[in-house]
Amino acid sequence: MFVTCCSSGYNEYTRLGYKTKSNTQNPWGKVETIKGSVKDVHSSGAHSVAHMEDGSLYLWGRDDSGQLGISSNYQRDTLDDLPYYIPASSVPHFPGTQMRVQVGLFSTFL
């Protein structure tokens, strides 16, 4: 199944999920197609997280403070990897608990 998310606003730091580094304001546009069923979408002023039904995450936007949970030596040389995907098996969780996602301007909480 493919699900389309749409976003609108200022695209600085690819915060809208578009595969462009343009920082102009954009009308409604499609975040690159993601695979699976979206449970929730969370957004701050700088980055966004799509929490999928299977527990995986798609993240995009600003990452200068580690908001996307990507290792510090990760370099975004191309936009081909947007949105960044974290499989459910790599998402930290505690057995017997239900995960919630919250985002702040410089942080993501699970």
Side-chain angles (χ1 to χ4, degrees):
M1 172 189 290
F2 289 90
V3 178
T4 300
C5 293
C6 294
S7 59
S8 179
Y10 193 55
N11 193 46
E12 184 180 37
Y13 302 105
T14 67
R15 67 180 68 172
L16 298 180
Y18 305 156
K19 288 192 177 195
T20 176
K21 291 187 178 182
S22 168
N23 63 359
T24 60
Q25 289 185 335
N26 293 300
W28 286 103
K30 183 174 85 171
V31 175
E32 293 303 313
T33 303
I34 55 179
K35 187 174 181 179
S37 297
V38 177
K39 182 176 182 178
D40 293 306
V41 175
H42 306 273
S43 184
S44 74
H47 72 290
S48 298
V49 178
H51 179 204
M52 309 303 288
E53 288 288 349
D54 69 359
S56 62
L57 303 172
Y58 285 90
L59 305 100
W60 60 91
R62 193 171 181 166
D63 190 39
D64 57 338
S65 295
Q67 299 95 305
L68 302 184
I70 300 169
S71 85
S72 60
N73 40 354
Y74 174 82
Q75 296 295 319
R76 182 179 294 141
D77 296 325
T78 71
L79 299 175
D80 293 339
D81 55 354
L82 284 176
Y84 183 70
Y85 174 71
I86 300 177
S89 61
S90 297
V91 175
H93 67 281
F94 299 96
T97 63
Q98 186 175 13
M99 183 175 71
R100 285 187 53 195
V101 177
Q102 296 291 317
V103 296
L105 185 58
F106 298 107
S107 57
T108 300
F109 298 92
L110 306 176

